[in-house]
Amino acid sequence: MKEGNDDMGLGVSFIGAREGFTLKEVTDYALKDDKTKHLIKDPFERVYGEKEIVPPPYDPTRLSILLEANTTHSACVRTIASDVVSPGWTLKGEEDAIQLAEETIKAFTDPLDETLKSAVIDYQAIGYCALAVSYEDSVPVNLYHIPAHTMRRTYDDIRAVQKVGEKEVWFTLAGTDKKVDPETGKFNDNLSDEEAGDSIIWINRYNPRSYFYGYPPIISALNSIYLELSAKRYNTMFFKNYGVPSLIVSLIGNFQDKDPNNPTYDVSEKIKEGIKSTIMNPHSAMVMTMKTTDKDSIKFDVKELGGLNTEAGFLKLLKRVEDEVLSVHKMPPYRIGVNRTGSLGGSTAVESSRTYYESVIKPLQARLSNALNHYLFQPIDPDLKLVFNTVNLREFKAEVDSVINLVQAGILTPAEARGVMKQYFDLDDDMVGYEAENLYHRGVPLDSMSALSLKPPLETARELLREPEEQEGGRG
């Protein structure tokens, strides 16, 4: 920002354009009114120069804050985690090995599905995830999730460390033949499996900037998130200031910048302070006054600051931000409960679902299952493997079409249809009115048709279902 003075001594500010916002700027702005924001700091900040710990290109703690700052980002991350894990999995191998694996899974500290969902949330939000495996006699006995923002890698590419407060816990990366002391981080191959640090299954999203840490997709949308936060905060000020438009009330005339009776009072500085205060408090008014003995020597001038903003403009802006966040996650809008239709009223839900499952869900399921099989199940039995279940898109489309036909034929109510489709869509029951409890035939309530024909709804529905068959028979 550059400042200068004109002939009247009034400060003029010029704000230069900038290319984008950093992760720190976005999260600081998101936590602007949070009294605990001073607690948000990298726990490894003071030890990166020690113990060969590698600093990540993006602060993982701040990446986790973005989940709170943007609802669309949070919904996308959690939906992907659910779509990867919720379909379930199948263990394949010899019957005895499968039974042993199932018993091992039941003995885990946390349910396996919740552990894997937490890992996928970290993978999508922070760019990498960490799953710890405990061994006894070289056989895995426990699998648990470690929050990614508390984990760091070392330059030797063998160890990883978790830091919470001042406490550190050391691990070795899965697949290495070294053992490490969990308290000191020093190598010691004489330790037993129970004494040594657990092994970490570390899974990265590909990051061209870092070998050790993955790339979180939301980094591409930082500017949009900042824009949304700014727009929401600006629009909220309308209600905080009781709907008063943004105005500046200024005093113009023949007067001195300095008050002869009070040399420390500078009119120009007061005007600048007032403008800055108004900018920081949108939709409010600024009033400036001055003592004078000549009522004609000064006058008031009232101007709008930036003009009026319409609600439609804010909605359009928020939709644009939402679209960009959906884009970086490759997420179809309907998967997070956002209804979008084309210009002609059509929908691309099936096509976008195919792209989403093929490009996001299946590759992530494959990476997760390969890692689990290599480090968790194959030590139990070399032929044992876990395979995630996937959604059959042909069956999905057939089921959607069937439900639509049943609603159109008056067999299912819209509310019943939504119940069937909840396995695929994130549907909100609170958005449904009483009309959804009625039966319809081609958009017309059966109760209305029955009233006109003086017949019960069920009989009316049966006659309507027979009509197409009779017409086809007549053509023959």
Side-chain angles (χ1 to χ4, degrees):
M1 180 179 292
K2 181 176 69 175
E3 294 189 356
N5 291 318
D6 60 11
D7 293 339
M8 296 296 295
L10 179 64
V12 181
S13 299
F14 303 94
I15 300 176
R18 58 180 300 166
E19 295 181 357
F21 296 96
T22 65
L23 175 62
K24 184 178 185 303
E25 287 174 321
V26 175
T27 51
D28 281 347
Y29 191 69
L31 298 172
K32 186 176 181 180
D33 300 324
D34 193 333
K35 295 181 179 179
T36 63
K37 64 181 180 181
H38 64 281
L39 300 176
I40 306 301
K41 58 183 179 179
D42 187 347
F44 291 85
E45 187 175 4
R46 293 182 296 174
V47 297
Y48 280 129
E50 308 171 3
K51 304 177 184 179
E52 299 184 341
I53 299 176
V54 184
Y58 312 104
D59 186 345
T61 302
R62 292 185 177 275
L63 286 170
S64 64
I65 293 172
L66 290 180
L67 290 172
E68 305 172 22
N70 186 270
T71 54
T72 303
H73 173 48
S74 177
C76 287
V77 167
R78 297 180 191 283
T79 298
I80 289 173
S82 178
D83 289 342
V84 168
V85 179
S86 292
W89 56 80
T90 303
L91 292 172
K92 296 185 178 182
E94 298 292 334
E95 186 175 346
D96 292 343
I98 292 175
Q99 184 176 355
L100 179 58
E102 290 176 343
E103 293 175 356
T104 302
I105 291 173
K106 289 180 181 178
F108 288 169
T109 304
D110 301 310
L112 181 58
D113 58 340
E114 294 301 322
T115 298
L116 297 180
K117 283 182 181 179
S118 299
V120 176
I121 288 174
D122 280 350
Y123 179 89
Q124 197 67 19
I126 300 178
Y128 61 91
C129 63
L131 292 167
V133 185
S134 302
Y135 292 92
E136 289 183 6
D137 299 327
S138 300
V139 177
V141 294
N142 193 19
L143 178 77
Y144 56 97
H145 165 256
I146 300 180
H149 70 278
T150 67
M151 294 291 295
R152 300 293 186 273
R153 297 271 296 273
T154 57
Y155 284 106
D156 58 29
D157 201 22
I158 297 176
R159 295 171 298 163
V161 57
Q162 181 189 28
K163 193 172 190 300
V164 179
E166 296 300 322
K167 183 179 180 181
E168 295 180 359
V169 180
W170 288 82
F171 305 83
T172 55
L173 296 184
T176 62
D177 56 0
K178 296 284 187 178
K179 292 184 179 181
V180 68
D181 189 308
E183 295 182 0
T184 65
K186 295 181 179 179
F187 292 107
N188 187 348
D189 293 337
N190 296 321
L191 296 173
S192 65
D193 287 344
E194 292 77 9
E195 295 172 331
D198 290 338
S199 296
I200 290 290
I201 300 175
W202 189 287
I203 305 176
N204 275 340
R205 290 178 60 95
Y206 172 68
N207 188 350
R209 289 186 56 196
S210 174
Y211 168 79
F212 298 97
Y213 302 98
Y215 177 80
I218 196 60
I219 288 296
S220 303
L222 285 181
N223 286 353
S224 293
I225 292 178
Y226 192 97
L227 182 63
E228 180 194 49
L229 292 171
S230 301
K232 286 183 175 179
R233 182 165 286 148
Y234 183 86
N235 211 20
T236 301
M237 294 309 298
F238 177 83
F239 301 98
K240 284 190 175 182
N241 292 308
Y242 305 100
V244 179
S246 300
L247 298 176
I248 177 171
V249 182
S250 59
L251 202 59
I252 300 176
N254 185 19
F255 56 86
Q256 295 178 339
D257 286 347
K258 301 288 186 179
D259 186 347
N261 299 322
N262 184 9
T264 61
Y265 185 90
D266 190 318
V267 175
S268 296
E269 290 300 322
K270 289 295 180 180
I271 292 174
K272 288 166 62 176
E273 291 175 6
I275 292 175
K276 289 180 181 179
S277 176
T278 303
I279 292 174
M280 295 299 294
N281 196 27
H283 300 294
S284 63
M286 182 176 71
V287 179
M288 292 178 291
T289 61
M290 178 177 290
K291 295 180 180 180
T292 179
T293 57
D294 185 358
K295 66 178 181 180
D296 297 324
S297 65
I298 60 172
K299 66 176 181 178
F300 285 104
D301 185 36
V302 181
K303 293 181 180 179
E304 292 181 358
L305 294 180
L308 299 176
N309 296 285
T310 63
E311 183 67 18
F314 279 99
L315 293 176
K316 189 174 181 179
L317 175 62
L318 295 179
K319 180 179 179 298
R320 173 185 161 192
V321 173
E322 183 179 69
D323 286 344
E324 183 161 352
V325 176
L326 288 169
S327 176
V328 299
H329 287 292
K330 300 180 181 179
M331 173 67 64
Y334 76 87
R335 289 295 299 122
I336 61 170
V338 177
N339 184 32
R340 297 282 174 82
T341 56
S343 57
L344 299 177
S347 174
T348 59
V350 175
E351 291 77 8
S352 58
S353 294
R354 182 177 292 108
T355 302
Y356 167 66
Y357 279 103
E358 294 293 337
S359 64
V360 178
I361 301 304
K362 283 187 177 181
L364 189 45
Q365 286 181 327
R367 290 206 64 186
L368 202 54
S369 62
N370 287 340
L372 292 174
N373 290 334
H374 190 71
Y375 300 115
L376 185 64
F377 294 109
Q378 289 179 3
I380 297 176
D381 186 281
D383 297 325
L384 182 65
K385 63 179 181 179
L386 176 145
V387 178
F388 283 101
N389 301 328
T390 58
V391 175
N392 188 314
L393 292 177
R394 289 185 178 180
E395 293 179 0
F396 164 73
K397 186 177 185 305
E399 185 164 2
V400 171
D401 290 342
S402 298
V403 171
I404 291 174
N405 291 333
L406 291 171
V407 173
Q408 292 287 348
I411 297 174
L412 289 181
T413 67
E416 292 169 336
R418 290 171 66 88
V420 175
M421 289 291 101
K422 272 189 175 181
Q423 59 183 310
Y424 301 115
F425 303 93
D426 184 13
L427 301 176
D428 186 358
D429 291 334
D430 294 336
M431 298 175 61
V432 181
Y434 67 91
E435 299 89 350
E437 304 292 340
N438 297 328
L439 290 171
Y440 295 83
H441 178 72
R442 298 177 184 175
V444 180
L446 283 179
D447 286 344
S448 302
M449 301 177 71
S450 300
L452 293 174
S453 63
L454 301 178
K455 295 180 180 179
L458 184 58
E459 186 176 342
T460 302
R462 288 171 178 168
E463 290 182 0
L464 291 170
L465 289 174
R466 286 197 297 267
E467 283 182 5
E469 299 176 359
E470 292 173 356
Q471 291 175 3
E472 291 178 2
R475 293 191 189 99

